Amino acid sequence: MAQSGLGMLLRKLREARDLSSRELGQLADIDHTYIYRLETGEKQSPSSELMERLLRVLKAKPREVEMAQFMMSNEVNPDWVEHVLGTDLTAEMFEMGATMRHRGAGRPDMEAIAARVRKALEDDE
């Protein structure tokens, strides 16, 4: 099964804290195999309580918490998640890019999506 956007976010946050999935599981009182399955996309739609515990232990910033909450009920391209984590895009911009529809056979690259989101917000001002 392909990695999910939520799984990508959790893995990146865990790695940033330099924790193994086993260590994260112990700190959050969650089975480490469940964390692994979330990260790989094998499991999806964790409970709000479980996500709250994980995000608290991972010391997620408000933007990352908003991203996780959005992904609990929306499928998001993991490449988009990884791209946004490396930028200054807000949670609102993340959601805009995640729900953007694309015409044609090819999908734009992540930087092109970010540019479209920024342009859309500039046009609103």
Side-chain angles (χ1 to χ4, degrees):
M1 177 167 274
Q3 184 173 40
S4 67
L6 182 59
M8 171 64 74
L9 176 68
L10 290 174
R11 184 176 61 82
K12 290 290 187 179
L13 293 175
R14 180 179 58 76
E15 289 173 349
R17 295 260 302 130
D18 199 28
L19 294 170
S20 70
S21 56
R22 187 176 297 272
E23 291 167 325
L24 175 57
Q26 289 172 341
L27 292 169
D29 194 28
I30 298 168
D31 182 28
H32 70 278
T33 57
Y34 187 77
I35 293 170
Y36 172 80
R37 289 181 181 132
L38 280 173
E39 289 183 2
T40 60
E42 186 179 333
K43 290 283 185 184
Q44 297 187 13
S45 303
S47 70
S48 296
E49 177 196 340
L50 186 137
M51 278 305 297
E52 188 177 307
R53 287 191 312 206
L54 284 172
L55 294 170
R56 186 174 42 249
V57 169
L58 292 169
K59 298 185 179 182
K61 297 175 183 153
R63 173 183 81 149
E64 297 158 347
V65 171
E66 286 183 54
M67 289 170 65
Q69 289 170 339
F70 177 79
M71 287 186 284
M72 285 179 65
S73 57
N74 297 280
E75 186 68 31
V76 177
N77 182 340
D79 294 337
W80 178 240
V81 174
E82 186 171 25
H83 178 79
V84 170
L85 289 174
T87 68
D88 64 344
L89 294 174
T90 65
E92 177 188 20
M93 295 168 136
F94 167 76
E95 289 180 25
M96 286 177 69
T99 58
M100 195 174 284
R101 300 293 169 237
H102 310 283
R103 290 185 171 168
R107 289 186 56 104
D109 67 11
M110 299 304 121
E111 191 57 48
I113 293 172
R116 288 174 64 188
V117 167
R118 289 181 198 278
K119 175 141 178 51
L121 290 174
E122 285 175 8
D123 290 348
D124 283 348
E125 293 176 0

